[in-house]
Amino acid sequence: MELLDLASNINQNPQFSSEEINLHLAGGLRLHMHGWLPNFAPDKVVVIVHGLGGHGKYYASSAAPYLAPHGAAVYAPDLRGHGRSEGLRGDIELFHSFLDDVAAAIRWARLKHPELPLFLLAESMGTSIAINYVVQAQPELAPDGLILVACVIAPTVTPSVKEVFRTFWYLATDRHRPALPITGREELGVRDTAFVQVLKADPLFNRKISVRFLTGMTRHMQQAARRPHALKLPILLLQGGHDYTVRHKPTRAFFNRIASADKEMHVFPQAYHAILNDPDAPQVRERLLTWLERQTKKFQVPGL
């Protein structure tokens, strides 16, 4: 994979700096990535994979202000077709191509911080992408730990009759057209009313997907759900107890089957799906930071 850093515009704030990075993938596709760096030497790297319809800029408020001051260099790419990245919006020829985007971000982060442990954090739809990525990643591009936030490997959203008919119509007529709405239920997944308004007003949020995207995503989630035995790196799974988008028993069963001896699962009983943008987010971040600190210590040389 050919990779090129085209731009890195850095902005400062009192605790950390932010940067906008453009990467070129094989074939000329431009991938946009957001970065946040502590104003001192970092001791770890966190690469974030966003969820359905979203983009990496959301983590400027939900993750970076908490991770960077604790020593993390944070990078969040906009997956192809999302945010400011190039690619088909609401459609994708091969869902598997998202794994190339994750590899590009990790490659760039490894080159910039070659001596630091790297952790892959994925949210919602991004969790299945991250699981499948980890299972087949080249050793030099494999993360040192995996964080699954609002893990979706057993979805439970029930479509309406109208949505079912619309899906079959476009399956038969135009599988590539982004015509299936993925918005309209924000209040069911997001307890933070301010973030609901952010989502509704965001012009970069993908509001429709194609049948091709939907079927590719479904197969990808099913594939990830069959791979717990292949996950042998440290795992942290954070889940909302009121997450209506997932089936909780299969998610717990998936966690129990993970092969890693170093795994933790924490359920926040009142939290909704978007647990990084939830009234319980402070508790979520506390668990996340505690886990990252413990994992990072494994890579520190005693006496330094």
Side-chain angles (χ1 to χ4, degrees):
M1 178 184 299
E2 185 179 352
L3 197 59
L4 176 65
D5 180 8
L6 293 179
S8 182
N9 299 320
I10 299 178
N11 297 310
Q12 298 285 338
N13 89 9
Q15 290 187 300
F16 59 94
S17 60
S18 64
E19 56 183 342
E20 302 295 321
I21 303 150
N22 286 314
L23 307 174
H24 265 184
L25 308 184
L29 185 72
R30 181 184 60 79
L31 197 73
H32 188 81
M33 185 163 69
H34 310 269
W36 301 273
L37 297 170
N39 289 336
F40 52 88
D43 62 2
K44 55 186 165 289
V45 178
V46 177
V47 174
I48 304 179
V49 185
H50 64 76
L52 176 63
H55 51 77
K57 190 62 179 286
Y58 291 143
Y59 302 101
S61 57
S62 66
Y66 310 98
L67 296 178
H70 284 85
V74 183
Y75 299 101
D78 297 343
L79 297 173
R80 65 184 66 197
H82 293 76
R84 299 189 183 280
S85 288
E86 295 178 343
L88 301 172
R89 297 191 68 84
D91 184 35
I92 189 166
E93 183 175 359
L94 295 172
F95 202 87
H96 187 84
S97 298
F98 287 138
L99 275 63
D100 294 336
D101 301 349
V102 177
I106 289 180
R107 186 189 299 274
W108 192 91
R110 286 285 196 198
L111 289 172
K112 188 168 183 178
H113 309 280
E115 304 300 325
L116 299 185
L118 185 148
F119 304 99
L120 184 60
L121 186 157
E123 183 178 18
S124 191
M125 178 194 75
T127 58
S128 64
I129 294 171
I131 290 167
N132 288 325
Y133 174 82
V134 164
V135 170
Q136 56 199 77
Q138 301 173 17
E140 67 273 15
L141 294 179
D144 298 297
L146 178 61
I147 304 160
L148 302 174
V149 178
C151 183
V152 184
I153 46 86
T156 190
V157 176
T158 303
S160 66
V161 173
K162 182 179 179 181
E163 289 170 334
V164 170
F165 276 108
R166 182 189 292 120
T167 300
F168 278 108
W169 169 260
Y170 284 105
L171 179 63
T173 60
D174 189 352
R175 297 176 62 249
H176 303 172
R177 181 180 175 183
L180 307 180
I182 58 172
T183 57
R185 297 173 174 170
E186 289 85 357
E187 287 83 359
L188 294 177
V190 184
R191 198 160 48 134
D192 183 341
T193 56
F195 188 59
V196 169
Q197 296 308 311
V198 168
L199 293 176
K200 289 183 176 181
D202 184 5
L204 292 179
F205 191 90
N206 287 356
R207 305 188 185 282
K208 294 182 179 181
I209 59 173
S210 67
V211 171
R212 179 167 66 169
F213 189 106
L214 177 63
T215 55
M217 179 176 65
T218 301
R219 287 194 296 266
H220 214 72
M221 289 178 177
Q222 292 170 345
Q223 183 182 39
R226 296 192 295 266
R227 290 179 142 176
H229 299 297
L231 297 176
K232 300 179 181 180
L233 74 175
I235 302 275
L236 174 66
L237 195 153
L238 304 171
Q239 206 79 16
H242 280 198
D243 187 343
Y244 89 104
T245 68
V246 303
R247 291 182 289 140
H248 292 273
K249 287 186 178 179
T251 303
R252 170 66 73 171
F254 172 85
F255 172 79
N256 290 337
R257 294 195 300 270
I258 290 174
S260 174
D262 185 352
K263 60 182 181 180
E264 295 182 25
M265 179 175 181
H266 300 282
V267 177
F268 302 86
Q270 302 305 314
Y272 284 19
H273 181 66
I275 60 174
L276 294 178
N277 294 279
D278 189 272
D280 286 346
Q283 291 80 16
V284 175
R285 292 191 291 264
E286 181 180 0
R287 291 287 190 181
L288 172 58
L289 289 168
T290 299
W291 185 87
L292 281 171
E293 182 180 1
R294 178 171 68 84
Q295 296 298 331
T296 301
K297 285 181 178 179
K298 297 178 182 179
F299 296 87
Q300 295 173 346
V301 178
L304 294 181

